């Protein structure tokens, strides 16, 4: 689809559908400024200030675009938030220039994702050479435990020259 076709298609959208396009454009624009990946920007994930350097905290608002037909957050969205929190902690707090990829992740769901916000708190469990074991708890803004997750991450070393 070229720009002309895209603009013509946008002209046919409802106001509600235009909001989705606006959110997508905002996410793309924010990627240039904050260097977060598209999905983190699309979900409006933001880093929270934590006084405890052993944990990394980030959160996202709960909006209609992440709700399933039962009006709760899709489980995959909650798992994605946990995965992002664990990976971002490693990149921001541990390494600086290396990258990390998820090798394995287990997620247990305890309560429905409801409320106004989901808050993810990640921490390191263990590290052996390039393998990092992580854990993350996701609560809602009322303090209810929604998800517990563990993940194994591989550290990809960048050239240090």
């Amino acid at each position: 689809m070229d720009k002309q076709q895209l603009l013509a298609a946008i002209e046919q959208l409802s106001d509600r559908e235009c909001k989705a396009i606006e959110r997508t454009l905002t996410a793309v624009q924010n990627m240039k400024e904050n260097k977060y990946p598209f999905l983190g920007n699309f979900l409006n994930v933001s880093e929270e200030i934590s006084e405890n350097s052993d944990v990394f905290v980030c959160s996202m608002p709960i909006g209609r675009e992440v709700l399933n037909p039962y009006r709760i957050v899709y489980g995959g969205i909650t798992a994605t938030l946990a995965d992002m929190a664990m990976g971002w902690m490693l990149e921001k707090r541990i390494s600086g220039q290396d990258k990390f990829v998820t090798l394995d992740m287990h997620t247990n769901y305890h309560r429905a994702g409801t409320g106004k916000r989901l808050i993810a708190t990640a921490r390191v469990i263990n590290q052996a050479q390039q393998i990092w074991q992580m854990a993350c708890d996701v609560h809602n803004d009322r303090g209810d435990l929604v998800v517990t997750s563990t993940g194994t991450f591989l550290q990809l070393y960048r050239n240090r020259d």
Side-chain angles (χ1 to χ4, degrees):
M1 186 179 283
D2 65 18
K3 280 187 180 181
Q4 296 289 357
Q5 293 169 317
L6 183 58
L7 291 172
I10 290 172
E11 288 291 324
Q12 303 301 314
L13 297 177
S14 69
D15 287 345
R16 183 175 181 192
E17 292 165 330
C18 281
K19 290 282 186 198
I21 299 297
E22 180 184 357
R23 184 180 178 115
T24 301
L25 287 173
T26 299
V28 170
Q29 291 168 336
N30 287 345
M31 285 172 56
K32 296 173 189 171
E33 295 173 22
N34 62 23
K35 306 293 189 221
Y36 287 161
F38 172 79
L39 190 56
N41 279 296
F42 185 78
L43 296 173
N44 289 318
V45 176
S46 60
E47 183 177 351
E48 304 286 322
I49 303 301
S50 174
E51 307 207 357
N52 180 353
S53 63
D54 293 335
V55 300
F56 177 83
V57 181
C58 63
S59 68
M60 62 170 272
I62 296 175
R64 69 184 341 171
E65 62 281 342
V66 298
L67 299 179
N68 67 21
Y70 303 110
R71 301 183 56 80
I72 59 175
V73 178
Y74 277 101
I77 297 292
T78 310
T80 297
L81 178 63
D83 185 43
M84 285 181 184
M86 292 184 286
W88 286 357
M89 178 184 190
L90 289 170
E91 287 187 12
K92 290 179 85 65
R93 299 266 174 94
I94 306 298
S95 167
Q97 51 182 302
D98 296 339
K99 295 295 176 193
F100 295 84
V101 293
T102 309
L103 295 176
D104 183 54
M105 188 168 150
H106 297 272
T107 302
N108 295 302
Y109 298 89
H110 305 286
R111 287 191 172 218
T114 59
K116 296 190 183 315
R117 209 160 184 77
L118 291 177
I119 301 109
T121 305
R123 64 193 173 283
V124 175
I125 297 174
N126 190 43
Q127 188 249 335
Q129 295 184 1
Q130 305 98 310
I131 305 296
W132 293 78
Q133 294 171 313
M134 304 291 293
C136 184
D137 298 330
V138 178
H139 291 82
N140 63 18
D141 55 304
R142 296 182 293 236
D144 299 325
L145 180 64
V146 177
V147 156
T148 54
S149 190
T150 57
T152 304
F153 291 77
L154 173 65
Q155 185 172 1
L156 304 172
Y157 294 102
R158 289 220 169 156
N159 189 352
R160 303 215 192 279
D161 294 333

